[in-house]
């Protein structure tokens, strides 16, 4: 795929997702919303009618049934969280739900196999500092979260997620910029220069808490001015265009 490419994914299905969707639509950008049916942590989630309305314009992906951290539960509960979340969304939308996102980025190899068994076609992680769709269909990485993390958070993610060689350029840019908005633009401009993929992800609730809607709007406007509409894709479209390694080779490359 000729770059640069932009994709955006938003997690947790908070009612503020409607505002995020409004801004993406304003700038002619695609996006993917990973939605649980309920949130066991007590956060509000979109209503059935709001999910259907959002699904008319954007890709809807699953985020388990209860926003459950899969790594913390047994096999049977993990299966039901993955399978039942997908089924409920498909019943609501009247259409297949092909994308999955691991809540909190916390999962293990067992959960990857469960996601495959439940007939998702791809899954997204919280690995950051990547400028492509990755090499594994069920472990798609990201570039950066829309959030003012300390540098130490990026360093921990870098060390703990592997694929260090290809992520080193992104880490260097993050470490150069103290201001989190400057980091965001620096990574995006890097993706543009190298005709690479820029994958922005975040939580609408956090944008609310940060009162950062203006910054988010300004950044989306910048993206729309630099990336042709045909190169602004959903996560599912990015996954469909990717060339994945066979599973045996992918495991060896970890």
């Amino acid at each position: 795929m000729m770059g640069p490419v932009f994709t955006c994914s938003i997690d947790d299905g908070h009612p503020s997702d409607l505002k995020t969707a409004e801004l993406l639509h304003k700038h002619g950008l695609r996006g993917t919303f990973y939605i649980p049916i309920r949130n066991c942590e007590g956060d509000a989630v979109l209503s059935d009618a709001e999910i259907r309305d959002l699904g008319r314009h954007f890709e809807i992906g699953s985020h388990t049934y209860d926003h459950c951290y899969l790594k913390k539960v047994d096999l049977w509960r993990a299966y039901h969280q993955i399978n039942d979340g997908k089924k409920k969304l498909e019943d609501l939308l009247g259409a297949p739900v092909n994308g999955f996102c691991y809540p909190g980025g916390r999962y293990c190899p067992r959960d990857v196999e469960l996601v495959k068994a439940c007939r998702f076609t791809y899954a997204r992680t919280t690995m950051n500092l990547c400028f492509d769709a990755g090499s594994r269909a069920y472990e798609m990485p990201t570039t950066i979260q829309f959030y003012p993390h300390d540098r130490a958070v990026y360093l921990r993610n870098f060390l703990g997620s592997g694929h260090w060689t290809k992520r080193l350029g992104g880490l260097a840019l993050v470490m150069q910029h103290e201001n989190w908005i400057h980091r965001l633009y620096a990574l995006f401009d890097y993706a543009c220069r190298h005709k690479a993929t820029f994958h922005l992800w975040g939580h609408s609730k956090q944008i609310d808490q940060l009162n950062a809607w203006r910054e988010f709007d300004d950044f989306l406007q910048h993206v729309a001015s630099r990336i042709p509409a045909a190169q602004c894709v959903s996560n599912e479209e990015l996954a469909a265009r990717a060339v994945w390694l066979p599973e045996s080779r992918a495991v060896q490359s970890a």
Side-chain angles (χ1 to χ4, degrees), residues 187-198:
L187 288 168
F188 176 73
D189 291 342
Y190 177 92
C192 289
R193 288 196 306 273
H194 292 271
K195 296 185 178 181
T197 296
F198 184 89

Side-chain angles (χ1 to χ4, degrees), residues 15-24 204 208 213 216:
S16 295
D17 281 0
L18 299 177
K19 187 167 184 177
T20 300
E22 180 183 336
L23 292 177
L24 287 168
S204 300
D208 251 345
W213 290 108
F216 187 66

Side-chain angles (χ1 to χ4, degrees), residues 128-183:
N128 61 23
L129 307 177
C130 290
F131 295 94
D132 58 24
S135 58
R136 307 181 189 183
Y138 296 93
E139 294 181 271
M140 180 188 286
T142 70
T143 308
I144 190 171
Q145 182 181 357
F146 191 83
Y147 192 80
H149 288 301
D150 292 333
R151 288 188 179 100
V153 173
Y154 292 101
L155 188 58
R156 286 197 299 271
N157 187 288
F158 177 80
L159 294 174
S161 299
H163 300 277
W164 302 297
T165 302
K166 75 172 185 176
R167 300 170 66 213
L168 195 57
L171 180 66
L173 286 171
V174 162
M175 293 303 174
Q176 286 173 22
H177 296 277
E178 183 174 356
N179 181 283
W180 69 285
I181 296 295
H182 294 169
R183 292 175 193 161

Side-chain angles (χ1 to χ4, degrees), residues 4-79:
V5 172
F6 175 79
T7 191
C8 177
S9 53
I10 303 295
D11 297 357
D12 293 3
H14 190 269
S16 295
D17 281 0
L18 299 177
K19 187 167 184 177
T20 300
E22 180 183 336
L23 292 177
L24 287 168
H25 182 72
K26 171 185 173 182
H27 296 291
L29 301 173
R30 308 296 298 279
T32 298
F33 291 83
Y34 294 105
I35 300 176
I37 306 307
R38 301 185 304 219
N39 193 315
C40 61
E41 297 169 317
D43 284 343
V45 294
L46 294 163
S47 69
D48 290 357
E50 289 170 334
I51 293 172
R52 283 192 290 266
D53 186 57
L54 192 62
R56 292 187 181 97
H57 305 284
F58 296 95
E59 180 197 359
I60 302 297
S62 180
H63 207 35
T64 72
Y65 198 93
D66 291 309
H67 194 257
C68 175
Y69 289 0
L70 296 171
K71 198 173 183 179
K72 294 185 175 183
V73 300
D74 63 28
L75 173 65
W76 187 244
R77 186 177 176 196
Y79 167 74

Side-chain angles (χ1 to χ4, degrees), residues 74-102:
D74 63 28
L75 173 65
W76 187 244
R77 186 177 176 196
Y79 167 74
H80 278 290
Q81 283 290 325
I82 295 167
N83 185 67
D84 295 356
K86 175 182 172 73
K87 185 177 185 303
K88 175 64 173 178
L89 286 176
E90 290 180 335
D91 288 345
L92 279 175
L93 297 168
V97 171
N98 294 318
F100 181 83
C101 179
Y102 304 96

